[in-house]
Amino acid sequence: MKKLLFITLLAVTLCGCRQQFVWERTAMDGSRTGVQACSASDVAEKLGTYSDGVYTAPDGKVFSEGCTPEVARILLESQETMADLKTVIARSTRAMVTSYPECELGDWFIDELMRAAERKSGKKVDIGITNFGGIRVDMPEGVVLKDDIMSMFPFKNNLCYLELYGRDIRVILEQLASTSWQVVGGARCVVRNKVLESVEIGGEPLDDDKIYGVATISFLLDGGDGLRIAKNAVRLDIYDEYILDVMMPYVESLTAAGKPIEYQTDGRITIINDGEKETLRR
């Protein structure tokens, strides 16, 4: 009887404490409004305007009810704090996307990384190695915002200069060939059925006993993406500059010189699988 009474009291208590939820339906307009991604100078044109509880969309539609005006207000008010990121810093002649095994965006990135390592070290850089994963977004066609470049290279990976014997570079390239190829500059490589068949650096076959200058990023020095590029390094310099500190000034320098962002692949990597050749050429 006591047990039954306890269970009854518990049930009554739980029922009495049950929370009541009240749901409200808010009208939202799901039709197209003409909103587009904007830069710092065309907010009203691309996002529309808001005044006294009324939102006017870029296509002329007017919203005064539901949550659309409030959402628009928040979005528009945030643009001032985002103005610096929305600054147009360059123009690209066409979209450049990351693709395996070689792409315009990857070549553009690694070639500038090599030049930056040369400037910083004062030494000749013969080969550059970085990873596809370090390029987080593609290059848009046309207007390029500061935010595009910051989003492209968001990681705090340092610019590095190393000196390695040719035999150690060969081991690294053999690993890339057998697993997943990455972004390589300064070398021409042929991979057949996941085996490194040939390597040329500076137009000459890779010399196992020669010391080469190498540009890379700190992420790949000791384990990033399975690589340990710093293993057996004769010399290793890790600079304070992050990759963004290299690429942003480069993009700005192109604009200052009146040049757009554009690049072409050069067939530096040829991958042959089961008799089918995959290569990118001019």
Side-chain angles (χ1 to χ4, degrees):
M1 179 62 69
K2 289 183 178 180
K3 183 181 292 185
L4 179 60
L5 179 60
F6 173 77
I7 293 174
T8 302
L9 289 173
L10 179 62
V12 170
T13 301
L14 289 175
C15 290
C17 294
R18 186 174 59 188
Q19 290 182 317
Q20 298 295 319
F21 295 94
V22 178
W23 298 93
E24 293 183 1
R25 183 181 297 274
T26 302
M28 294 183 66
D29 187 280
S31 61
R32 297 181 64 85
T33 58
V35 169
Q36 303 176 56
C38 69
S39 67
S41 61
D42 60 0
V43 173
E45 177 187 347
K46 296 293 181 64
L47 297 184
T49 59
Y50 174 89
S51 178
D52 296 328
V54 178
Y55 167 60
T56 303
D59 64 0
K61 291 180 181 177
V62 177
F63 301 87
S64 59
E65 298 180 351
C67 66
T68 301
E70 181 63 11
V71 171
R73 181 189 66 78
I74 295 171
L75 178 64
L76 289 166
E77 287 182 354
S78 69
Q79 296 306 304
E80 184 175 353
T81 60
M82 297 172 62
D84 182 56
L85 292 176
K86 299 293 185 179
T87 302
V88 177
I89 61 170
R91 293 186 179 274
S92 176
T93 57
R94 60 182 178 276
M96 295 195 295
V97 303
T98 54
S99 61
Y100 173 90
E102 183 191 359
C103 60
E104 295 168 336
L105 186 55
D107 287 2
W108 176 76
F109 173 34
I110 191 62
D111 289 353
E112 177 56 24
L113 204 68
M114 292 173 63
R115 289 189 289 266
E118 275 197 348
R119 291 191 297 269
K120 195 68 179 178
S121 67
K123 302 287 186 178
K124 185 176 185 297
V125 172
D126 301 291
I127 184 173
I129 302 172
T130 189
N131 61 330
F132 278 109
I135 308 172
R136 302 310 294 180
V137 300
D138 297 329
M139 180 72 70
E141 180 179 3
V143 168
V144 178
L145 305 180
K146 185 176 183 179
D147 181 52
D148 292 321
I149 304 302
M150 293 182 69
S151 298
M152 199 174 295
F153 307 108
F155 300 124
K156 293 184 177 180
N157 293 320
N158 300 78
L159 173 68
C160 301
Y161 169 80
L162 303 87
E163 291 179 356
L164 291 171
Y165 276 100
R167 55 180 170 269
D168 296 310
I169 293 174
R170 188 182 301 278
V171 169
I172 294 168
L173 296 177
E174 285 175 342
Q175 179 181 345
L176 296 183
S178 64
T179 55
S180 179
W181 195 260
Q182 298 290 352
V183 183
V184 176
R188 298 185 73 85
C189 305
V190 176
V191 175
R192 185 184 296 273
N193 296 323
K194 292 189 174 296
V195 176
L196 185 67
E197 189 171 84
S198 66
V199 184
E200 290 185 356
I201 295 181
E204 299 291 334
L206 178 64
D207 184 345
D208 286 350
D209 297 320
K210 179 180 176 180
I211 295 177
Y212 292 88
V214 182
T216 190
I217 61 175
S218 54
F219 176 69
L220 302 180
L221 293 179
D222 189 27
D225 275 348
L227 295 175
R228 288 180 169 78
I229 293 180
K231 183 180 180 180
N232 300 326
V234 177
R235 170 178 172 172
L236 170 60
D237 296 337
I238 303 175
Y239 303 113
D240 292 336
E241 288 88 346
Y242 294 134
I243 299 311
L244 182 62
D245 300 326
V246 171
M247 300 308 295
M248 187 70 78
Y250 173 50
V251 170
E252 292 172 340
S253 72
L254 291 174
T255 300
K259 298 178 181 179
I261 297 174
E262 57 183 355
Y263 224 65
Q264 290 182 314
T265 56
D266 55 18
R268 62 187 65 179
I269 171 64
T270 299
I271 294 183
I272 304 170
N273 291 315
D274 299 324
E276 180 180 353
K277 184 165 66 174
E278 300 177 13
T279 184
L280 293 173
R281 301 188 183 279
R282 287 186 187 276

